Amino acid sequence: MPRAFAADDDNASPIAHGVLAGNSLAKAFEPSPHQLPDIYVTGPDGDRRLSDFKGKTILMPLWAEWCAPCIQEIPDFARLQQKYGNDKFAIVPVLTATQKKFTPELLSRILGMMHAGVFTPWIEQHRGATLMRRMARRRGGGAAMPCNLLIAPDGRVVAREIGGLSNTDDADPAKSYKDAVNRTGTGSSQSRWGQQDGEDFAKAMADGFLA
């Protein structure tokens, strides 16, 4: 479980204050050791730089098709985007470190099956893994997925939530992955983002928490 951050802890959440002071998800965020690399992502209408998304608060889930916890979170993020996405806030998932050859069209169909058709299918260009390697690397350790980036309207990464908990059984990764995919198809909430703290978090961002 996310630990309680001490006030003098360098990893203390920079967003667990104000209306999010008691929010378990806000407490799970930590300062990002890096800023977002301005790489290209590929979508249905071609390539865009990540800097093109500036102008509103962005919650950017970095996910991969092989990551069961990532898959669990996507439908919950989709519901939050449908309810709270506005001119101040958007959730923008990006597929990174993929082990398969995805096109935006194929990924769009998969997102639809995941009850997440609200999202534009963005993929790190050329099946790259720069986002995972740079933004999802633990301090002093390897990368951990999922990695959810909170980006201010000016493009600055304010915080990240890394390696979130899932409902899968890590003792049997193959079964865990299959179960996660099957549950995603039902459209039911599976992650902490589908609970009340996820609602409160998204609402705060939509109300201009970082504006």
Side-chain angles (χ1 to χ4, degrees):
M1 296 295 290
R3 62 190 178 88
F5 294 109
D8 59 350
D9 192 331
D10 288 341
N11 291 333
S13 171
I15 58 170
H17 56 83
V19 296
L20 295 179
N23 187 287
S24 65
L25 282 165
K27 291 178 180 179
F29 277 77
E30 66 179 27
S32 173
H34 301 291
Q35 289 303 308
L36 200 64
D38 194 18
I39 63 172
Y40 282 99
V41 292
T42 300
D45 298 322
D47 297 336
R48 288 181 64 181
R49 287 187 178 276
L50 290 181
S51 58
D52 293 340
F53 293 99
K54 288 195 298 186
K56 62 174 67 177
T57 296
I58 299 291
L59 178 61
M60 183 176 287
L62 304 181
W63 71 290
E65 81 285 352
W66 43 263
C67 169
C70 302
I71 290 172
Q72 287 183 300
E73 291 183 345
I74 292 295
D76 293 334
F77 282 134
R79 281 186 288 273
L80 293 176
Q81 171 62 21
Q82 288 176 312
K83 187 171 182 178
Y84 296 106
N86 61 16
D87 60 348
K88 295 180 181 178
F89 173 62
I91 301 175
V92 182
V94 176
L95 186 71
T96 180
T98 176
Q99 295 178 358
K100 298 182 179 180
K101 188 175 181 180
F102 282 99
T103 64
E105 293 73 23
L106 175 58
L107 184 57
S108 181
R109 292 197 296 272
I110 291 172
L111 288 171
M113 291 186 290
M114 296 169 68
H115 299 269
V118 66
F119 291 134
T120 299
W122 294 111
I123 308 167
E124 185 171 339
Q125 192 181 52
H126 303 312
R127 297 174 63 182
T130 299
L131 287 172
M132 184 187 76
R133 289 197 303 264
R134 182 173 178 84
M135 304 306 299
R137 184 170 297 281
R138 292 191 185 278
R139 300 172 191 273
M145 296 278 274
C147 178
N148 301 313
L149 307 177
L150 185 62
I151 305 170
D154 63 3
R156 176 175 48 91
V157 180
V158 174
R160 68 176 183 175
E161 183 218 4
I162 184 170
L165 299 176
S166 73
N167 294 331
T168 59
D169 179 7
D170 292 335
D172 188 345
K175 182 178 184 299
S176 296
Y177 182 82
K178 182 178 179 181
D179 288 348
V181 171
N182 289 340
R183 285 197 298 269
T184 298
T186 70
S188 59
S189 296
Q190 300 184 60
S191 74
R192 292 178 298 167
W193 290 99
Q195 299 170 7
Q196 187 59 50
D197 276 356
E199 292 265 343
D200 294 342
F201 187 103
K203 183 179 186 304
M205 299 305 154
D207 288 345
F209 186 86
L210 294 184

